[in-house]
Each structure stands twice: as structure tokens, then as C-alpha cells.
Amino acid sequence: MESLELEVDQANQRFYEAFESLDIGKMNQIWAVDKPVKCVHPGWDLRSGWPAVRDSWVLIFNHTAGIRFDVTEVEIMINGELAWVTCVENVTTRVLQGEQTSNVLATNIFLRNGKKWLMVHHHGSSVLR
Amino acid sequence: MESLELEVDQANQRFYEAFESLDIGKMNQIWAVDKPVKCVHPGWDLRSGWPAVRDSWVLIFNHTAGIRFDVTEVEIMINGELAWVTCVENVTTRVLQGEQTSNVLATNIFLRNGKKWLMVHHHGSSVLR
């Protein structure tokens, strides 16, 4: 993998680590919070701007006892300061009665800020297999 | 709207006109067919590369008698040669028994090629309202 691709891949991994942590402080560090960021969770409407995006994460984190991601089929595209990543999120969610699994297809867009790639867009949608 | 935004907005509109035409020749002109393009239809797995993306459009066009889009909530972001657009597709599909309506949230990414913006990514997902 090229070094820029590695940087983007690591940014993408950090996003899923922040998601697994269920810690809004960690998720805060992933996003370009001063940019017009956008986020679509599976089945949800678009959230636009960090305050609305942040609220969506708080809502999800408050209703999740535990979540794990096995991220596969990662494809990275880079053009200038922008990178867009597609991947499959193989998700295991801990709920009262045990565990639930699901497959989500994600488009993640990152904006380069020096050596750091920050998320400006996340679009996740359920895959009906 | 700034002139670059106008160009992107028009490219986005042309995509939906091509979709409504159910004509693969028109869809062909929208996409950056020599780039590693990607496409996710609602509930589908990722299609990667123009041959696989093209096949998905042929499949959809062959199974659709008629389709109309009322595209709303268009938001356009531009950085360098890349533009990403979010919008809501208010879709009316003609089927045997009449008409069906649905709401799809789309992320569309366009790459600038001179004065032309060509699609490199389409991700559509159903909105559960």
C-alpha cells in the first residue's frame, strides 16, 4: 500500500475504533468538526453539520451496550486532499438477549489536514443478502 | 450558487435524467468510465469498476417500466477536482399495479475533467420514515 493510502486506511480504522469505544470524545477526534460534515446511518435521514452529526452518535452510543466491527473489502481512492473509502462493516452488536450481526456497506470520505485525515462524510447502508 | 457549484449541480441533475431515461447509453456519458468507479444501490452490495457498475444499471433498467425523480435537499461540497453531493431522491416507480413511491438518500461523488464533472461514486440507501 502507498504511504498516503496507509494514512487513509489508518484513519478509517480509527473511525471504527472510536465507534467501538462508544466514547463521543474519541469520535470527536475523528471528524473535521469545523467543516460542514455529513452523516447517514443505515435507514436514517442525513445529518448535516457537526452538532447534528454528534447528536446522532450520542444517541447511538446511549442505546448500544457493545459493538464490534470486522471491516472487510476496504477500497481507498485518493484525489488531492480528498480520500473516499468503501468497506463492508461486519457488525456484531451486544443486546439484552445475546448478539446480533449485520452487514453494512459504508462510504467514508476523509479530508487531509497536514498529516491527519479527518472524516467529513459517513454513509452507511444495510446490505440485504 | 457559485459557478463550480452550478456545474456540479447540473452534473447531478444529468445523472437523474439519465436514470429516468432508462438508457444505458445516456448513463454511460455520466460516469468516469475509465476510472475505478463504484456504485451501491439501496440494499445492494458494492459494484466496483465500470463493467460491474454498468451491469447493475442494465439490470435495473431492464426491470423498470418507468421511473421519475424529484430530487430535493441537494447539498454540494467541492474540494479541488472532487465534489460530493448529498440529496434525497423522491422516487416514483411505475409498476404493473400502478405507482410506488420511495425515499432514497444519495451520496454522489464527481471528478472534474476540464469543464465536465463525471460520476465516480453513487451510494443510495433507503430512508425508513
Side-chain angles (χ1 to χ4, degrees), chain A residues 38 45 75 107 121 123 129, chain B residues 38 45 75 107 123 129:
Chain A
K38 296 174 199 308
D45 262 312
E75 297 186 25
T107 297
H121 190 82
H123 186 162
R129 281 179 172 164
Chain B
K38 297 173 199 306
D45 262 312
E75 297 186 25
T107 297
H123 186 162
R129 279 177 172 164

Side-chain angles (χ1 to χ4, degrees), chain A residues 38-126:
Chain A
K38 296 174 199 308
C39 186
V40 186
H41 301 291
W44 293 37
D45 262 312
L46 178 78
R47 298 282 184 129
S48 198
W50 178 241
V53 172
R54 185 184 188 283
D55 285 352
S56 73
W57 290 115
V58 171
L59 190 60
I60 289 171
F61 292 172
N62 284 346
H63 289 82
T64 307
I67 193 163
R68 284 199 321 275
F69 291 92
D70 177 21
V71 179
T72 58
E73 298 169 51
V74 179
E75 297 186 25
I76 295 169
M77 317 290 306
I78 302 175
N79 186 291
E81 292 180 308
L82 249 290
W84 62 110
V85 179
T86 54
C87 55
V88 175
E89 307 171 354
N90 303 281
V91 192
T92 308
T93 312
R94 200 163 71 237
V95 290
L96 271 182
Q97 288 77 15
E99 290 190 332
Q100 282 179 347
T101 59
S102 61
N103 294 305
V104 171
L105 203 307
T107 297
N108 298 325
I109 308 180
F110 296 91
L111 178 64
R112 193 182 191 183
N113 182 4
K115 287 290 276 181
K116 204 155 183 201
W117 292 85
L118 292 172
M119 184 168 263
V120 289
H121 190 82
H122 169 68
H123 186 162
S125 64
S126 296

